[in-house]
Amino acid sequence: MGSIRIRELTKKYGDVAAVDGISMDIDDGEFLVLLGPSGCGKTTLLRMIAGLLGPTSGSILLDDVDITDAPSRQRDVAMVFQNYALYPHLSVQKNLAFPLRVRRTDKAEIEERVRDAAGQLDIDHLLDRKPKELSGGQRQRVAVGRAIVRNPRAFLMDEPLSNLDAKLRTATRRELGALHRRLGATFVYVTHDQVEAMTMATRIALLDGGKVEQIGTPEEVYDRPASVFVAGFLGSPPMNLLDGDVAADSERVVVDAPGVRAPLWHGETERRDVVLGVRPEHLRIAEPDDEVRFDAVVDLLENLGSEEIAHCVVGETGTTLSFRGRRPTGLHVGAHVVLTADLTDLHLFDRTSGRRLDWVPDTVSAHALAGA
Ligand SMILES: Nc1ncnc2c1ncn2[C@@H]1O[C@H](COP(=O)(O)OP(=O)(O)O)[C@@H](O)[C@H]1O
Ligand SMILES: [Mg+2]
């Protein structure tokens, strides 16, 4: 078991709330990723769950038991730190055994659990070494092993891959995913890396300014971002966001923005300021009869090998628009290009609140914009 319920959790430093009234339910066996830019409160939230930091207000429940005031030692959770925090003077064997020794586990059981964890992580041959005799990747495994030996209800990990090089990070990402499936335990995993979040998470909680912007499966947050912030955080390059307005134009409701025309549906609506979103990979070069049109000039081309990214400028205001397509796109810098996208790939957000507006693409009947 390892369900975690967080209720109205706040941590203030002076007047500044590092974590600002966060509530979320993490189910037993989830791989929940706390994702967000540097300084958004990920580490602070994780350390409060670990009991390394006391909240200003709010509560934390582990398997329905209130642990808000329980000391770290008495919480059945194990933390893996970004810098691994291994004891430099102890061997790998002793580092792995350490959490069990402080809990006065009996010797035979310690040996068995250490052997088992070392086997799972493929570090059996390193047991006599000291941390300084290990590579970064091996140290990272020892840090994970030290959590595994405790057989905790939940694993808490703070950017455990950030000190590894790119290739090792990719490999270790897969291993952590496999470890999670094998153990079936709850993982709460902090990262600022959207690829780690998208590939490993059962759900992603995207944080900004100490608050949860959106929580959902990787598909939900990518395909239906709840706000301009989420839309602009995920994707590479992230979703294009253009200021415009939505209004009825003779018989059609259209989004108008400089250099952009997007007829949405037949009918009426009240004029409102919006942000129009479209992902770079959903754009394509328009045919003459395509109704959705982005008039753009190519400013920069990036060759990614299999694909090409054209960074364009639309309208007189110089809003940027990225288009990602299979290479070669046939475009060149300075070229004028008209791009289009399917209506189902256009996202609308309220300009004032930044929240998503829901609408149903349908050229026959009118749909009221619902949302913030
Ligand atoms: N001990 C502290 N004293 C004052 N401010 C802090 C302290 N720890 C964190 N903060 C502030 O709280 C905010 C969230 O920090 P943190 O949780 O470390 O963010 P993240 O892990 O998402 O990068 C940041 O603005 C940070 O400067
Ligand atoms: Mg952090």
Side-chain angles (χ1 to χ4, degrees):
M1 288 299 286
S3 73
I4 300 168
R5 315 253 169 260
I6 294 165
R7 292 285 173 266
E8 293 291 323
L9 203 64
T10 294
K11 177 69 186 181
K12 283 191 174 172
Y13 292 108
D15 285 343
V16 182
V19 167
D20 194 0
I22 286 184
S23 297
M24 66 172 76
D25 289 349
I26 304 167
D27 289 334
D28 181 40
E30 269 208 84
F31 196 127
L32 184 99
V33 171
L34 301 174
L35 176 69
S38 178
C40 71
K42 306 178 296 292
T43 295
T44 304
L45 177 56
L46 197 71
R47 292 179 78 91
M48 288 194 282
I49 300 172
L52 300 169
L53 202 58
T56 307
S57 60
S59 56
I60 304 167
L61 285 78
L62 179 61
D63 288 330
D64 299 322
V65 175
D66 192 321
I67 56 162
T68 314
D69 300 316
S72 179
R73 285 204 165 189
Q74 283 168 23
R75 299 183 187 199
D76 200 0
V77 297
M79 181 102 167
V80 177
F81 295 91
Q82 184 170 1
N83 58 8
Y84 315 140
L86 301 177
Y87 299 104
H89 57 289
L90 297 182
S91 67
V92 168
Q93 154 83 34
K94 288 195 165 128
N95 264 286
L96 291 175
F98 192 85
L100 299 176
R101 293 186 52 173
V102 296
R103 281 168 185 78
R104 305 195 188 289
T105 310
D106 90 42
K107 220 168 162 198
E109 191 177 343
I110 293 182
E111 262 183 34
E112 191 188 319
R113 288 217 221 165
V114 167
R115 209 177 322 116
D116 181 57
Q120 288 203 48
L121 294 163
D122 210 14
I123 49 174
D124 332 50
H125 58 297
L126 303 173
L127 288 173
D128 295 329
R129 294 207 197 163
K130 298 269 173 65
K132 68 169 187 295
E133 298 164 320
L134 303 175
S135 70
Q138 290 167 337
R139 278 180 213 165
Q140 199 271 343
R141 281 160 193 267
V142 177
V144 172
R146 203 171 49 178
I148 291 180
V149 294
R150 287 182 47 193
N151 191 22
R153 290 177 202 233
F155 289 81
L156 310 177
M157 303 193 178
D158 193 355
E159 312 230 13
L161 307 187
S162 62
N163 292 328
L164 306 181
D165 64 52
K167 203 170 163 193
L168 195 53
R169 212 156 49 219
T170 307
T172 313
R173 211 167 67 204
R174 297 204 185 107
E175 284 175 18
L176 277 180
L179 181 74
H180 170 254
R181 287 189 292 277
R182 200 162 63 233
L183 296 173
T186 308
F187 280 40
V188 185
Y189 184 103
V190 162
T191 185
H192 64 274
D193 182 323
Q194 55 167 310
V195 178
E196 286 179 24
M198 290 297 294
T199 52
M200 291 191 290
T202 53
R203 282 194 306 158
I204 296 172
L206 193 52
L207 269 54
D208 183 36
K211 291 192 159 87
V212 176
E213 277 282 318
Q214 185 172 6
I215 183 160
T217 64
E219 293 72 25
E220 283 163 355
V221 293
Y222 193 85
D223 296 342
R224 289 178 48 84
S227 67
V228 167
F229 175 82
V230 178
F233 191 84
L234 295 173
S236 175
M239 187 181 282
N240 294 299
L241 297 163
L242 302 107
D243 284 353
D245 59 66
V246 61
D249 168 358
S250 60
E251 60 190 25
R252 301 286 288 274
V253 169
V254 301
V255 183
D256 248 325
V260 180
R261 194 178 152 79
L264 300 181
W265 68 80
H266 288 84
E268 296 286 317
T269 193
E270 271 181 35
R271 195 195 158 283
R272 73 192 286 175
D273 290 339
V274 296
V275 175
L276 173 66
V278 60
R279 292 215 176 269
E281 68 269 28
H282 290 153
L283 288 168
R284 62 177 183 276
I285 295 171
E287 302 292 335
D289 58 351
D290 279 319
E291 288 191 317
V292 174
R293 301 178 82 76
F294 297 86
D295 262 294
V297 175
V298 180
D299 193 38
L300 177 76
L301 281 171
E302 273 184 305
N303 177 355
L304 300 185
S306 61
E307 292 182 304
E308 196 164 43
I309 299 173
H311 299 276
C312 305
V313 173
V314 286
E316 287 92 66
T317 49
T319 313
T320 57
L321 182 80
S322 305
F323 157 55
R324 184 170 179 149
R326 201 172 140 185
R327 193 172 66 92
T329 54
L331 296 175
H332 59 269
V333 172
H336 178 245
V337 60
V338 180
L339 299 168
T340 190
D342 292 345
L343 282 179
T344 45
D345 291 327
L346 298 183
H347 304 254
L348 289 180
F349 304 93
D350 182 88
R351 187 113 53 88
T352 312
S353 68
R355 304 308 292 181
R356 180 184 190 83
L357 297 168
D358 277 312
W359 62 287
V360 185
D362 179 346
T363 51
V364 180
S365 58
H367 296 271
L369 289 170

